Amino acid sequence: MQGDHFCTATVVHSPGKNMIVTAGHCLLAGKHGDAGAVFAPAYANGGAPYGAWTIEEVFEDTRWSEDSDDDYDLAFARLAPDASGRNIEDVTGAATLDTTGRSGEEITVTGYPADRKVPRTCTASAIRETPTEQRFDCADFPGGTSGSAWLAKDGKIIGVLTGGDTDDVSTSTILGEYAATLYAQATAGH
């Protein structure tokens, strides 16, 4: 693989078995091709055990893609099948997206720091800060961990790391109605 690691993403269950979720600031909305970003699940120590998957199209709320409103910093990306014709979810499995606005519960977050060869995992509580934002306090989630899924104890995605003022406090939008609408657009017809 060529290029640098810059964000983390997670395979999210979808009808087409071909979708990942990440932070909106990680990718540009619209159609992509062979020259664009790729997804390398479980990448560590220079190895991509599941290969690299081409991103076909990225879906973002226009309040993020056009206005950079942090409350909507979320993206879904449809991946092309691999060289064998397999969809990503059939190879890696997937987590289910929960858009009911959950917060205030224990989550586990695994991110891939850009300056390291191995992932960083932490379990902590998701704390609602505002009606649209939550945070978790775990040391050492630097650049490259943006886009990491916040997995609740039931395995559902209830947040996606979008930033934070320091490497020890990370934030996510609350995954509510806007996230459900965006997911529906991303999975329509696929």
Side-chain angles (χ1 to χ4, degrees):
M1 285 189 317
Q2 304 257 331
D4 294 323
H5 162 79
F6 56 89
C7 275
T8 300
T10 302
V11 180
V12 61
H13 175 67
S14 67
K17 299 183 176 188
N18 58 357
M19 195 71 54
I20 58 174
V21 63
T22 190
H25 69 265
C26 291
L27 297 168
L28 293 174
K31 299 222 184 256
H32 289 240
D34 292 334
V38 297
F39 175 61
Y43 182 84
N45 294 314
Y50 299 104
W53 299 72
T54 301
I55 295 173
E56 288 187 325
E57 189 169 4
V58 175
F59 301 86
E60 295 177 351
D61 190 295
T62 56
R63 290 169 285 192
W64 170 257
S65 61
E66 295 175 10
D67 300 327
S68 299
D69 185 333
D70 289 339
D71 289 347
Y72 304 96
D73 187 358
L74 182 70
F76 294 97
R78 188 176 63 243
L79 304 178
D82 70 2
S84 301
R86 300 174 303 175
N87 286 314
I88 187 71
E89 189 173 335
D90 292 328
V91 176
T92 63
T96 300
L97 184 71
D98 187 322
T99 57
T100 61
R102 288 168 63 181
S103 189
E105 60 188 277
E106 187 177 276
I107 57 167
T108 298
V109 180
T110 299
Y112 291 80
D115 62 351
R116 285 180 225 147
K117 297 181 185 272
V118 295
R120 164 89 176 99
T121 299
C122 185
T123 299
S125 291
I127 302 163
R128 187 179 298 262
E129 293 278 282
T130 70
T132 58
E133 184 179 83
Q134 57 186 334
R135 74 165 213 267
F136 82 97
D137 301 339
C138 272
D140 199 26
F141 273 79
T145 59
S146 285
S148 303
W150 295 20
L151 298 174
K153 282 185 173 183
D154 63 4
K156 293 184 178 179
I157 300 169
I158 67 165
V160 174
L161 198 154
T162 55
D165 291 335
T166 71
D167 291 351
D168 301 336
V169 178
S170 300
T171 57
S172 169
T173 65
I174 299 291
L175 299 182
E177 186 177 329
Y178 92 93
T181 300
L182 184 59
Y183 175 80
Q185 290 169 355
T187 58
H190 299 283

